[in-house]
Amino acid sequence: SHELSAGHAVAVNDAGDDDVDRTLNIFDRNSFGNIQGSEKTKTLLASLDSQLDLTKHWFIKNIVTYNRARYNRLDDDNSSFTGVLNGNNALDNEFSFARDNLTTTFTEELRLHYKSKSLRGHIGAYYAKIDDDDASGGEGFVPTSITEATLNAFGAGALLPFYSNLSFLRDTGRRTKTENFAGFGELEYDVSKFLTLYSGLRYDKEKFEVQATSSRVTNGLADPTLCFLFGGGAAAQLGCQQVNAFAAAQDAQASQPLNASTESEAWLPLMGTRLNWTHDLSTSFTVKRGYRAGGAGESLITGTDFDFDPEFVWNYEAALRSKWFDGRLTVNANVY
């Protein structure tokens, strides 16, 4: 005999601008953006779940899933720094930041199960592939507080008016590919009506690749000659030159391409025991190891590269399962 079930779903989420100004009244939810922000998500999800019964004790289960998600966002890049005065936007420009993301996920899991009165178990294999394409960019306002801090770092704090129109023009394209392979098995044995032992082991390996290109250009830098003439002479000119050189170095660093790949693997054991106090009351204790694979990426804000190592955790869990009043009340609890 066999069982087969399939399904799919399409979800669309369309939202407006979620950035509001809290200067006047936090409950008014005023928005002073120069453009209409938006956020849209469209998701397609499909799955196929099949089971083939081989004998009284053996059966095969196969689960296939596919997920495709498109995400778009548009924001006014300076609406958080509006400098509201009498309800008007003091920074009347159209700086914006846009993002487009497409993520597709495919998974396949195949398991062979055995089930008898006192022994249950399965072995299986798992595969997942995730492709993520992300593009973002736009021109962004630089808050006066950040500009002032940068100028003060170079001893040019009095030159803030020369940098009043400072902005960043940035674009980032990023593509990641993740492949996950796993083999696993689990066994559960009833030693007696009172005591059940179970254990399992999973081998997990993940390959991660990322390719990214980015560019950042700082606009609105001061002319050192004007700093000399109107800002205080040679000292002011030197300060502007240092700030401009710092901005150029930051732009160069943020414009470096990224091409990285990592591999992570781990053995993940599981073991535990369950005590069946009555037909409707049991307690259990489980110890298992988990992990999250490492990887690499690039900051959408600064454009700089980063990488991170795998993370591991040991999880200890105690659980209670119970039914009361002939099954009309269920009380369950877990402690981690």
Side-chain angles (χ1 to χ4, degrees), residues 82-204:
T82 52
V84 177
L85 180 62
N86 296 326
N88 296 315
N89 188 348
L91 298 172
D92 191 17
N93 54 54
E94 294 188 359
F95 290 164
S96 64
F97 188 79
R99 183 184 179 192
D100 179 76
N101 179 273
L102 176 63
T103 303
T104 58
T105 304
F106 171 81
T107 69
E108 159 71 24
E109 183 173 338
L110 179 64
R111 301 194 303 261
L112 174 64
H113 289 258
Y114 176 82
K115 184 177 182 180
S116 66
K117 184 177 180 180
S118 60
L119 183 65
R120 296 160 296 279
H122 63 264
I123 58 173
Y126 174 82
Y127 172 77
K129 182 180 180 182
I130 305 173
D131 289 312
D132 184 274
D133 288 294
D134 194 283
S136 60
E139 188 170 9
F141 165 73
V142 181
T144 302
S145 58
I146 297 178
T147 307
E148 186 174 10
T150 303
L151 290 169
N152 287 334
F154 292 92
L159 302 177
L160 183 61
F162 293 93
Y163 292 88
S164 59
N165 295 318
L166 202 63
S167 66
F168 290 145
L169 183 64
R170 60 206 189 279
D171 290 284
T172 300
R174 184 174 183 268
R175 182 174 185 180
T176 64
K177 178 181 178 182
T178 305
E179 285 190 292
N180 184 207
F181 307 87
F184 55 88
E186 190 168 333
L187 196 63
E188 183 177 286
Y189 177 61
D190 297 329
V191 179
S192 65
K193 292 184 179 180
F194 176 69
L195 176 63
T196 299
L197 301 177
Y198 50 90
S199 64
L201 182 64
R202 181 185 184 95
Y203 172 74
D204 195 282

Side-chain angles (χ1 to χ4, degrees), residues 178-182 202-208 262-269 288-295 308-315:
T178 305
E179 285 190 292
N180 184 207
F181 307 87
R202 181 185 184 95
Y203 172 74
D204 195 282
K205 182 175 183 178
E206 182 173 299
K207 296 181 179 179
F208 177 81
T262 62
E263 288 191 11
S264 303
E265 58 181 349
W267 290 94
L268 308 172
K288 58 183 177 181
R289 189 188 192 209
Y291 101 115
R292 180 165 56 184
F308 52 94
D309 296 327
E311 296 177 319
F312 294 88
V313 62
W314 279 102
N315 181 58

Side-chain angles (χ1 to χ4, degrees), residues 249-262:
Q250 293 292 305
D251 290 345
Q253 182 182 18
S255 300
Q256 293 296 318
L258 172 65
N259 190 349
S261 62
T262 62

Side-chain angles (χ1 to χ4, degrees), residues 7-329:
H8 77 281
V10 178
V12 179
N13 179 32
D14 195 347
D17 201 334
D18 59 2
D19 195 357
V20 296
D21 191 279
R22 300 177 296 276
T23 306
L24 299 178
N25 189 322
I26 61 174
F27 300 105
D28 287 344
R29 298 189 63 80
N30 294 311
S31 177
F32 294 96
N34 301 106
I35 61 173
Q36 178 62 53
S38 63
E39 187 175 18
K40 300 179 181 179
T41 305
K42 184 176 182 180
T43 304
L44 169 66
L45 176 63
S47 63
L48 178 65
D49 189 340
S50 57
Q51 179 175 316
L52 177 63
D53 296 327
L54 301 175
T55 67
K56 179 181 178 181
H57 300 293
W58 294 91
F59 65 92
I60 296 174
K61 193 167 186 65
N62 187 59
I63 303 173
V64 183
T65 69
Y66 174 79
N67 188 351
R68 184 180 187 272
R70 167 77 72 176
Y71 174 83
N72 299 100
R73 179 162 186 155
L74 178 66
D75 287 303
D76 185 332
D77 201 68
N78 72 331
S79 59
S80 295
F81 309 100
T82 52
V84 177
L85 180 62
N86 296 326
N88 296 315
N89 188 348
L91 298 172
D92 191 17
N93 54 54
E94 294 188 359
F95 290 164
S96 64
F97 188 79
R99 183 184 179 192
D100 179 76
N101 179 273
L102 176 63
T103 303
T104 58
T105 304
F106 171 81
T107 69
E108 159 71 24
E109 183 173 338
L110 179 64
R111 301 194 303 261
L112 174 64
H113 289 258
Y114 176 82
K115 184 177 182 180
S116 66
K117 184 177 180 180
S118 60
L119 183 65
R120 296 160 296 279
H122 63 264
I123 58 173
Y126 174 82
Y127 172 77
K129 182 180 180 182
I130 305 173
D131 289 312
D132 184 274
D133 288 294
D134 194 283
S136 60
E139 188 170 9
F141 165 73
V142 181
T144 302
S145 58
I146 297 178
T147 307
E148 186 174 10
T150 303
L151 290 169
N152 287 334
F154 292 92
L159 302 177
L160 183 61
F162 293 93
Y163 292 88
S164 59
N165 295 318
L166 202 63
S167 66
F168 290 145
L169 183 64
R170 60 206 189 279
D171 290 284
T172 300
R174 184 174 183 268
R175 182 174 185 180
T176 64
K177 178 181 178 182
T178 305
E179 285 190 292
N180 184 207
F181 307 87
F184 55 88
E186 190 168 333
L187 196 63
E188 183 177 286
Y189 177 61
D190 297 329
V191 179
S192 65
K193 292 184 179 180
F194 176 69
L195 176 63
T196 299
L197 301 177
Y198 50 90
S199 64
L201 182 64
R202 181 185 184 95
Y203 172 74
D204 195 282
K205 182 175 183 178
E206 182 173 299
K207 296 181 179 179
F208 177 81
E209 298 178 1
V210 56
Q211 295 178 332
T213 57
S214 62
S215 65
R216 193 184 81 176
V217 177
T218 303
N219 295 322
L221 294 173
D223 184 341
T225 302
L226 296 180
C227 294
F228 176 83
L229 295 175
F230 304 103
Q237 182 182 32
L238 178 61
C240 288
Q241 290 173 340
Q242 290 178 322
V243 172
N244 293 353
F246 173 77
Q250 293 292 305
D251 290 345
Q253 182 182 18
S255 300
Q256 293 296 318
L258 172 65
N259 190 349
S261 62
T262 62
E263 288 191 11
S264 303
E265 58 181 349
W267 290 94
L268 308 172
L270 173 151
M271 60 192 71
T273 180
R274 182 168 62 249
L275 303 179
N276 306 296
W277 301 98
T278 68
H279 180 72
D280 295 326
L281 176 64
S282 67
T283 56
S284 63
F285 182 74
T286 306
V287 180
K288 58 183 177 181
R289 189 188 192 209
Y291 101 115
R292 180 165 56 184
E298 186 175 49
S299 170
L300 294 176
I301 299 176
T302 64
T304 54
D305 303 343
F306 64 87
D307 56 59
F308 52 94
D309 296 327
E311 296 177 319
F312 294 88
V313 62
W314 279 102
N315 181 58
Y316 305 88
E317 177 184 354
L320 167 71
R321 299 290 181 265
S322 65
K323 294 182 179 180
W324 305 84
F325 308 114
D326 296 326
R328 290 175 299 187
L329 174 65

